[in-house]
Amino acid sequence: CEYTTKDFEGALIWIPSTRKESTNPEGENCPGDKTERMSYAREGFYNLSISESRIDLNEEVEHFIPCLFLSYGEETSHLVIYFHANREDIFQAAEVASNLRNNMHCHVLVPEYPGYGLYQCEEGTSEERIKRDALTVYTFIRKSLKVGIENITIMGRSIGSGPATWLAAHNPVGSLILISPFLSLQEVVRAHFCAFLSSLVKERFPNKDEIKKVQCPTLFIHGLKDEIIPYSHSQKLHCMTRAPSEIVFPREMDHNTIDMEDDIHRYVDLFFERFGIWEIMKNATPIKVPLYLFTNPASLPTKDEAIQIDTPVSYTHLTLPTIYSV
């Protein structure tokens, strides 16, 4: 593990995952069930609301998901869930997250992947585990933090485009932003080797199938110099998308070298403007984050002890250490 809890004092939260939630990510416990998705498609992505309740820690907690949470303050109720790239953890993604917060004027939450950083579990890293955790984070944001659908932006970069696309495909959100996404992991192998070798790789995160189910406005950003995931992947995904969407190809951007201002924010600004997201963000209702979320699970009371979480505490000025200030 390349970081400790001390590296993120006041900015690391632990979202509880109950056994009930993680049983079946696409079953009856999924917020975006068939009935709600039908209503979502019929009424438009700004009109749907689901029952507002919260997860109680007295339920049987299976595990806790460590997440970096950067608050922008009381000026906004918009929240970006950012799924980071491969070969990095939330510590390495912290600078990008801080940049997103300061330039998009919103809260940013970065879930850790199982097997990365502080998030060690027996099951290890798997597609299903990542998807279950993504759903748990989304459910918690909706039901416990009471963030409205229109105020949730899902963003994923590289491998993070997998859980980002899946989450947006099965749950109503305000917008989806994909940076250097892929059609599927098999297609990435095919682009570098051959069809035979790609057939030997287990398929994971088939974005080419899930993108067809996405209903919110979607932005694709893919560098023309990307030699790891060819920009043709984004081109094809864009053609498959049935939702309102835009695609841009920064000329100097490759897979790992990104100018946040020229390659990301200038296009996000235009995207938000075109789909009225900036206007929605003006109607801010402060997000209140329960105090217990900032407590390391190792120091939490036992199940039989009283856990007072009825009165959330609002954290409005959380910041990263100075080295990550943008």
Side-chain angles (χ1 to χ4, degrees):
C1 179
E2 297 187 8
Y3 64 93
T4 67
T5 55
K6 292 183 179 180
D7 292 313
F8 294 123
E9 289 189 15
L12 186 67
I13 65 174
W14 304 80
I15 295 180
S17 176
T18 64
R19 295 187 186 278
K20 179 181 178 182
E21 285 182 322
S22 58
T23 301
N24 181 1
E26 298 189 44
E28 61 180 3
N29 297 317
C30 177
D33 63 20
K34 292 182 179 179
T35 301
E36 288 176 346
R37 284 202 299 270
M38 288 174 60
S39 176
Y40 175 74
R42 183 174 63 252
E43 299 178 12
F45 61 91
Y46 293 140
N47 298 328
L48 178 68
S49 62
I50 61 177
S51 60
E52 301 289 359
S53 59
R54 58 173 170 73
I55 299 171
D56 193 334
L57 268 185
N58 288 321
E59 295 183 30
E60 191 170 3
V61 176
E62 184 180 45
H63 63 277
F64 290 85
I65 305 167
C67 304
L68 176 63
F69 177 75
L70 302 182
S71 171
Y72 190 74
E74 296 186 357
E75 293 84 3
T76 182
S77 53
H78 201 86
L79 187 145
V80 171
I81 306 175
Y82 175 65
F83 293 97
H84 62 73
N86 194 23
R87 296 185 177 180
E88 66 180 22
D89 51 33
I90 60 175
F91 181 80
Q92 294 160 317
E95 186 172 2
V96 171
S98 181
N99 193 295
L100 292 173
R101 174 191 62 178
N102 294 339
N103 285 275
M104 294 175 67
H105 311 295
C106 61
H107 313 291
V108 178
L109 188 144
V110 188
E112 188 62 283
Y113 298 144
Y116 287 58
L118 292 174
Y119 191 6
Q120 301 302 314
C121 59
E122 295 182 1
E123 183 178 339
T125 306
S126 69
E127 178 186 8
E128 291 306 313
R129 172 89 275 171
I130 292 174
K131 286 161 63 175
R132 289 200 300 271
D133 285 353
L135 177 59
T136 295
V137 169
Y138 172 87
T139 303
F140 197 87
I141 288 171
R142 287 288 296 121
K143 293 186 175 182
S144 185
L145 300 189
K146 303 185 184 304
V147 179
I149 291 167
E150 71 281 2
N151 276 312
I152 298 176
T153 292
I154 307 294
M155 178 182 289
R157 184 170 84 87
S158 187
I159 191 67
S161 68
T165 303
W166 178 85
L167 190 61
H170 294 272
N171 300 276
V173 296
S175 56
L176 172 66
I177 300 174
L178 300 176
I179 304 171
S180 308
F182 52 83
L183 288 163
S184 72
L185 289 188
Q186 280 190 349
E187 293 290 346
V188 174
V189 175
R190 186 192 301 270
H192 289 280
F193 300 100
C194 63
F196 173 73
L197 286 179
S198 69
S199 67
L200 301 179
V201 176
K202 181 180 177 181
E203 184 63 293
R204 295 181 177 87
F205 293 117
N207 289 339
K208 59 184 179 181
D209 297 328
E210 298 295 345
I211 196 68
K212 300 173 185 177
K213 306 171 189 174
V214 173
Q215 301 175 28
C216 65
T218 302
L219 173 64
F220 299 89
I221 303 176
H222 212 128
L224 289 178
K225 293 186 177 181
D226 194 330
E227 296 181 352
I228 296 178
I229 302 176
Y231 66 84
S232 60
H233 283 235
S234 279
Q235 286 179 314
K236 293 176 181 178
L237 287 171
H238 181 239
C239 291
M240 297 173 181
T241 306
R242 296 168 181 171
S245 61
E246 297 182 350
I247 185 169
V248 294
F249 302 101
R251 292 182 178 276
E252 300 303 318
M253 174 180 161
D254 63 24
H255 196 74
N256 295 311
T257 303
I258 300 175
D259 185 308
M260 292 296 293
E261 181 58 39
D262 291 340
D263 299 337
I264 305 297
H265 295 307
R266 60 183 294 192
Y267 300 114
V268 171
D269 285 348
L270 292 172
F271 175 70
F272 275 17
E273 181 70 29
R274 188 160 299 171
F275 290 99
I277 298 173
W278 287 127
E279 286 298 317
I280 293 172
M281 291 172 64
K282 291 179 181 179
N283 302 318
T285 301
I287 295 176
K288 295 184 178 181
V289 183
L291 179 62
Y292 74 87
L293 285 180
F294 294 89
T295 304
N296 190 323
S299 61
L300 281 176
T302 64
K303 178 182 177 182
D304 297 329
E305 296 175 353
I307 301 177
Q308 300 296 330
I309 61 174
D310 292 329
T311 305
V313 176
S314 180
Y315 284 76
T316 58
H317 299 290
L318 298 178
T319 58
L320 279 172
T322 305
I323 58 172
Y324 290 114
S325 297
V326 176

